[in-house]
Amino acid sequence: METLLPACSASSPASASAAPPGMSSSSPASPAPADAAGGEKPTAAPYGSWRSPITADVVSGADKRLGGIALAGDGRLLWIEGRPEEKGRMVIVKEGDKPVDVIPQEFAARTLVQEYGGGAFAVQDNTVVFSNYKDQRLYKQPTEIGSLPVPLTPDYGAPDVSYAGGVFDPHFSRYVTLMEDRRTSNLNPATTIACINISGGDIHEPKVLVSGNDFYASPRIDQNKKRMAWIEWGHPNMPWDKSELWVGYFSESGELTKRICVAGGNPMLVESLAEPKWSPKGELFFITDRESGFWNIYKWVEHSNEVVPAYTLDAEFTRPLWLFGNSSYAFLGKSNHIILTYRQLGRSYLGVLDCDSGSVSLLDTPFSDLSNVVAGNDYFYIEGASASVPMSIAKVTLDKNKTKSISFSIVWSSSPDVVQYRPFFSTPEFIEFPTSSPGQMAYAYFYPPLNPMFQGLPDEKPPLLVKTHGGPTAETREILDLSVQYWTSRGWAFLDVNYGGSTGYGREYRERLLGKWGIVDVDDCCSCARFLVESGSVDEQRLCITGRSAGGYTTLASLAFRDTFKAGASLYGIGDFSLMRADSQKYDSHYIDNLVGDERAYYERSPINFVNKFTCPVILFQGLDDKVVPPNQARKIYQALKERGLPVALVEYEGEQHGFRKAENIKFTLEQQMVFFARLVGKFEVADDITPIKIENFD
């Protein structure tokens, strides 16, 4: 189960063309005192008690999210941004001398397809089509200021039909999109590829083009010929396990007639397909992890129905398909050049692929983490961040040979005021550490405590907070996250672990978790914490752990089945696999089977069944509208720990789903975690004025 991630992160700007970072299992550097502002000597104070200007208000206000980017016909960028101050509303914004909102205040561009959403809008020329959050209908609107949206799809009386990942079809004046119909069943909705006529002002019933499989993604239409590519897969696979790439040909009436399976149909070759795109010349490119186990770029040779590599490297050129709308590469105008991004050993790289020569020219940017990209003729827009630059969108212009960048400018920042806090930023160290399996290594980012006004006491080591990322098929990245700096600037060490099963390191690393969720992830988090203890970097008696969604499960499992940590915080985490399976929505209803195994494993790895093994305090946070991990999970854990006599607290939020979007709830969650850990294991007083909630069996 993927979770919403904060949109800020960073370290000192570095060239994206630098060599991959060297890795070492040597001891992380101990935190060194920094000079206070004005050259004053830092004050010695207990770790965890330091005052910091990076308050919970600053963190919650900076937590703007990106929901996708696209180019309008005039070459200007459109993007979706999530605003915590507007209760998480997702707004389509257009680039200009001053960015302007495209959709009116009463609309929000967000889809609920597969619960996780993504791909909520598309643009052609100066027309945008988007999914409206409240009613889940598709709307069409000009991008000019003052225009009003008009509905394209019917009102079914409830938001039970959702759309995502759509594109304009230039051949038949229609919009082709994924459609999820929950009118008959919420747990097993029908998923199809459908089209909606957009030529007039009338509302039209969607017409199904492709159906029969469990899931579809990325319908993409060739601008030159009447044909469409798409990805599909079926239970029990997730898209990163095994999927297929298809091409279908349209008849003169717009029906799909002839269909060809381009890749994924060979039972002897297991592969995961992603991001099909037609080049300006009508060639089909896509990403697959066939043969090497790394997601690389390939091309389809139509006349022989062959698949050939466009560029191969032991690196990941895409991300797991939790959200629709991934765009890891793009064609530069009508040239034979592709702007691409990839991940290798914990870092992102940016380059231009010359499809004629097969060579890649790496580009320098201040970003060390990159995600979506869209391109014009000699320029492109890229989402990126670093350890000292928050999540941003940059415009990059290339030279005439398309091998070097000649200009770089930030057009959007998730936190434009963040620069004032730069002296308080802890720069992460990328570490490789030994796992419990002999000869096997895993990866993490270690953030030492840092505050220019304070230093730790000479006889003290800092407390450590370990974060377990969601997914679990996902990756934590080296980006400026103010919710991390909130801890480090107060004197905490922070550890962000990419345990076995994480993405970004190839299929073999990703599949370490198959059948072993609750074992490999837990072992790796505990091993990395012990590694830091043994290196003398942190205090063994003040090890805490936190996680969201699937990371919340790893947190609870670490507390139930290991004795490494002294307290934990679970944010909408899974406590009972059997309950989770019974309540799972369609997309990940078989996901847990692949990661856990049989009924016995379901029971033995569910923390709720072993509350007698919990020995330390736990705080739980839960959204009451969460359909991915329903509230009964947190309530069941809370009640069991309360009856066992352990210190425990539960915070529930009305109106929140799987991931907290409202600024006041983001703030409250962060502050209550801090004061909970401080009161129960910290041995310090927090500097902030925080009123703690009641802790059962403690207050």
Side-chain angles (χ1 to χ4, degrees):
M1 281 53 62
E2 178 67 323
T3 182
L4 295 163
L5 300 178
C8 310
S9 75
S11 75
S12 52
S15 164
S17 64
M23 296 189 303
S24 169
S25 57
S26 60
S27 302
S30 298
D35 287 339
E40 299 174 9
K41 185 177 180 180
T43 300
Y47 288 110
S49 69
W50 303 348
R51 293 189 312 278
S52 170
I54 305 175
T55 64
D57 279 311
V58 169
V59 175
S60 62
D63 196 23
K64 288 184 179 179
R65 308 177 191 277
L66 275 175
I69 56 177
L71 277 183
D74 60 4
R76 301 279 182 118
L77 184 73
L78 274 74
W79 65 89
I80 293 179
E81 67 177 52
R83 297 172 178 170
E85 70 275 13
E86 296 183 35
K87 301 188 181 302
R89 175 174 170 252
M90 306 297 283
V91 186
I92 299 177
V93 183
K94 186 175 183 181
E95 176 191 14
D97 295 335
K98 183 179 180 182
V100 294
D101 292 358
V102 173
I103 58 176
Q105 178 70 34
E106 61 271 25
F107 287 83
R110 181 182 169 200
T111 176
L112 294 177
V113 173
Q114 296 176 181
E115 286 298 322
Y116 303 110
F121 82 125
V123 183
Q124 180 174 279
D125 297 328
N126 292 308
T127 299
V128 59
V129 170
F130 68 96
S131 296
N132 184 45
Y133 175 59
K134 185 176 181 180
D135 57 13
Q136 289 296 289
R137 299 169 72 186
L138 284 178
Y139 287 77
K140 179 178 74 171
Q141 178 186 334
T143 59
E144 286 83 11
I145 302 173
S147 301
L148 294 176
V150 295
L152 292 173
T153 53
D155 181 356
Y156 296 110
D160 292 335
V161 180
S162 299
Y163 311 88
V167 291
F168 289 82
D169 181 350
H171 307 295
F172 299 100
S173 188
R174 61 188 182 181
Y175 190 73
V176 177
T177 177
L178 306 174
M179 182 171 72
E180 182 179 83
D181 189 342
R182 299 180 295 277
R183 287 176 292 177
T184 302
S185 171
N186 270 318
L187 291 180
N188 190 31
T191 306
T192 59
I193 298 177
C195 62
I196 296 99
N197 189 307
I198 60 173
S199 59
D202 297 333
I203 293 173
H204 296 274
E205 189 73 29
K207 179 180 179 181
V208 173
L209 293 172
V210 185
S211 63
N213 214 331
D214 292 313
F215 304 101
Y216 297 93
S218 307
R220 295 296 179 261
I221 295 172
D222 184 1
Q223 301 294 301
N224 301 287
K225 299 179 181 179
K226 295 176 181 179
R227 55 185 178 174
M228 177 177 74
W230 70 89
I231 303 290
E232 64 178 64
W233 68 99
H235 288 315
N237 294 306
M238 298 299 285
W240 47 83
D241 296 325
K242 188 178 188 301
S243 55
E244 298 173 353
L245 172 61
W246 287 77
V247 169
Y249 296 81
F250 293 120
S251 67
E252 290 304 313
S253 63
E255 302 284 347
L256 272 178
T257 53
K258 179 184 175 183
R259 304 182 188 190
I260 297 173
C261 183
V262 170
N266 183 352
M268 304 302 293
L269 180 64
V270 176
E271 58 183 320
S272 166
L273 288 305
E275 296 194 48
K277 296 183 181 183
W278 298 97
S279 76
K281 296 180 180 179
E283 295 179 307
L284 180 61
F285 287 76
F286 58 94
I287 294 174
T288 176
D289 65 350
R290 60 168 52 197
E291 298 175 356
S292 72
F294 287 90
W295 276 314
N296 284 186
I297 298 181
Y298 281 70
K299 183 175 71 171
W300 177 47
V301 181
E302 182 181 15
H303 72 270
S304 59
N305 194 25
E306 289 182 290
V307 168
V308 297
Y311 189 70
T312 59
L313 190 68
D314 285 351
E316 301 278 57
F317 285 74
T318 190
R319 304 180 299 284
L321 206 163
W322 284 108
L323 302 173
F324 295 108
N326 287 346
S327 180
S328 303
Y329 69 101
F331 301 101
L332 286 161
K334 295 186 177 181
S335 72
N336 214 19
H337 292 79
I338 295 175
I339 184 73
L340 54 80
T341 68
Y342 62 85
R343 296 281 293 171
Q344 190 174 50
L345 299 179
R347 182 187 175 86
S348 294
Y349 296 84
L350 177 68
V352 178
L353 169 64
D354 183 330
C355 295
D356 293 326
S357 67
S359 63
V360 167
S361 302
L362 292 177
L363 303 176
D364 293 336
T365 76
F367 297 148
S368 58
D369 181 86
L370 302 161
S371 48
N372 294 318
V373 60
V374 293
N377 290 320
D378 58 357
Y379 66 94
F380 61 89
Y381 292 88
I382 182 83
E383 298 175 9
S386 77
S388 59
V389 179
M391 181 57 68
S392 306
I393 304 172
K395 182 178 182 180
V396 182
T397 304
L398 299 172
D399 65 1
K400 64 179 181 179
N401 296 321
K402 296 182 171 58
T403 58
K404 295 180 181 179
S405 58
I406 57 176
S407 71
F408 177 95
S409 59
I410 300 292
V411 299
W412 178 88
S413 172
S414 62
S415 184
D417 299 326
V418 76
V419 64
Q420 63 184 300
Y421 306 113
R422 185 159 290 169
F424 294 84
F425 292 164
S426 174
T427 300
E429 177 184 350
F430 181 65
I431 61 174
E432 180 184 43
F433 62 92
T435 71
S436 57
S437 298
Q440 194 176 80
M441 309 298 283
Y443 311 99
Y445 297 102
F446 175 66
Y447 297 77
L450 179 70
N451 185 315
M453 300 185 298
F454 294 95
Q455 64 185 33
L457 300 177
D459 58 348
E460 184 189 23
K461 296 185 186 303
L464 173 70
L465 182 60
V466 175
K467 177 192 160 194
T468 60
H469 66 67
T473 309
E475 179 189 10
T476 191
R477 296 181 171 213
E478 180 196 12
I479 60 175
L480 177 62
D481 186 342
L482 290 187
S483 68
V484 173
Q485 305 298 334
Y486 176 84
W487 294 90
T488 56
S489 64
R490 283 164 175 75
W492 282 74
F494 195 97
L495 180 68
D496 217 346
V497 185
N498 274 319
Y499 46 77
S502 302
T503 56
Y505 301 90
R507 181 181 280 266
E508 183 180 347
Y509 193 86
R510 191 167 75 239
E511 292 187 344
R512 286 186 188 179
L513 210 58
L514 289 180
K516 295 183 178 179
W517 192 17
I519 299 174
V520 169
D521 51 323
V522 169
D523 283 347
D524 286 357
C525 288
C526 293
S527 293
C528 198
R530 286 195 298 268
F531 173 69
L532 294 176
V533 169
E534 291 166 3
S535 71
S537 301
V538 298
D539 184 350
E540 183 177 18
Q541 299 306 314
R542 294 189 290 175
L543 303 179
C544 300
I545 185 168
T546 185
R548 311 173 184 201
S549 187
Y553 165 73
T554 301
T555 292
L556 293 171
S558 297
L559 299 175
F561 305 128
R562 304 290 188 277
D563 59 2
T564 302
F565 300 102
K566 308 305 179 184
S570 169
L571 283 67
Y572 38 96
I574 304 157
D576 187 329
F577 278 140
S578 295
L579 272 178
M580 182 70 196
R581 181 165 59 175
D583 292 333
S584 286
Q585 39 96 23
K586 179 182 176 182
Y587 179 66
D588 44 21
S589 59
H590 290 264
Y591 183 38
I592 304 177
D593 294 340
N594 299 336
L595 296 177
V596 178
D598 57 21
E599 292 293 335
R600 180 177 177 181
Y602 264 72
Y603 180 85
E604 291 180 345
R605 294 192 216 151
S606 293
I608 189 61
N609 298 324
F610 298 92
V611 290
N612 61 310
K613 292 190 175 184
F614 280 82
T615 58
C616 65
V618 181
I619 186 168
L620 306 117
F621 300 87
Q622 180 67 45
L624 293 179
D625 291 346
D626 193 336
K627 295 180 181 178
V628 179
V629 181
N632 59 347
Q633 295 261 335
R635 288 170 179 168
K636 196 173 177 183
I637 287 280
Y638 168 73
Q639 193 61 38
L641 294 181
K642 179 180 175 182
E643 291 173 2
R644 176 160 161 70
L646 286 174
V648 63
L650 170 63
V651 178
E652 295 182 324
Y653 296 123
E654 291 187 4
E656 291 283 20
Q657 298 171 320
H658 196 63
F660 306 148
R661 294 173 177 266
K662 300 176 182 178
E664 63 269 25
N665 296 338
I666 296 169
K667 173 188 176 182
F668 192 79
T669 300
L670 195 56
E671 289 183 335
Q672 291 305 320
Q673 283 186 83
M674 172 67 74
V675 75
F676 183 85
F677 291 148
R679 295 180 69 200
L680 291 160
V681 301
K683 301 177 184 176
F684 58 81
E685 295 287 335
V686 296
D688 306 83
D689 183 15
I690 302 172
T691 302
I693 60 171
K694 180 183 178 182
I695 302 172
E696 296 292 342
N697 301 318
F698 183 76
D699 289 322

